[in-house]
Amino acid sequence: MELRSHPLMSFQGVSNWPPKWTSTSGKPTIHPTNEIGVLEQVKRSTVHPGTCFLMISHGGDFYTGRLNFDDPSFCRRVCELLTAHYGRSLVEIGAIDIPYTP
């Protein structure tokens, strides 16, 4: 099953993929959407075990997004998976086949 379609890629019943993007360059009016950019970094929250932060590059700028999960163990698995795919586009990452585990 594709990562983007996995039922555990959700928070409170709503899909969390792709995250909402916020510019880190101080351009508050620019909020790209969808599976854009190239994954640069992933950080798992030390405060909320069901949250991880992604940083992407797109069009010469950097953006950050947050993935919240209902299942902290699935969050950990996704963070590990994403860390292994730095430098790949979010379109490619969203299409990664992962096992369906209810």
Side-chain angles (χ1 to χ4, degrees):
M1 170 170 287
E2 288 184 334
L3 176 69
R4 70 173 61 92
S5 302
H6 198 288
L8 294 179
M9 286 294 292
S10 65
F11 181 67
Q12 298 179 344
V14 177
S15 174
N16 63 9
W17 187 265
K20 292 184 180 8
W21 301 111
T22 302
S23 173
T24 61
S25 62
K27 298 178 185 176
T29 58
I30 300 174
H31 295 282
T33 58
N34 300 320
E35 292 178 322
I36 55 106
V38 173
L39 183 64
E40 300 292 341
Q41 191 174 29
V42 176
K43 295 276 186 185
R44 190 155 175 233
S45 173
T46 57
V47 178
H48 301 286
T51 299
C52 68
F53 300 94
L54 282 59
M55 181 175 278
I56 61 165
S57 59
H58 175 69
D61 287 316
F62 289 92
Y63 300 88
T64 188
R66 179 178 66 202
L67 294 174
N68 291 319
F69 293 84
D70 294 315
D71 183 339
S73 64
F74 190 71
C75 176
R76 179 182 41 76
R77 287 180 45 209
V78 168
C79 287
E80 290 169 0
L81 174 78
L82 293 174
T83 299
H85 290 90
Y86 286 173
R88 291 184 66 187
S89 75
L90 258 43
V91 171
E92 291 176 286
I93 292 169
I96 293 172
D97 189 40
I98 60 172
Y100 172 74
T101 50

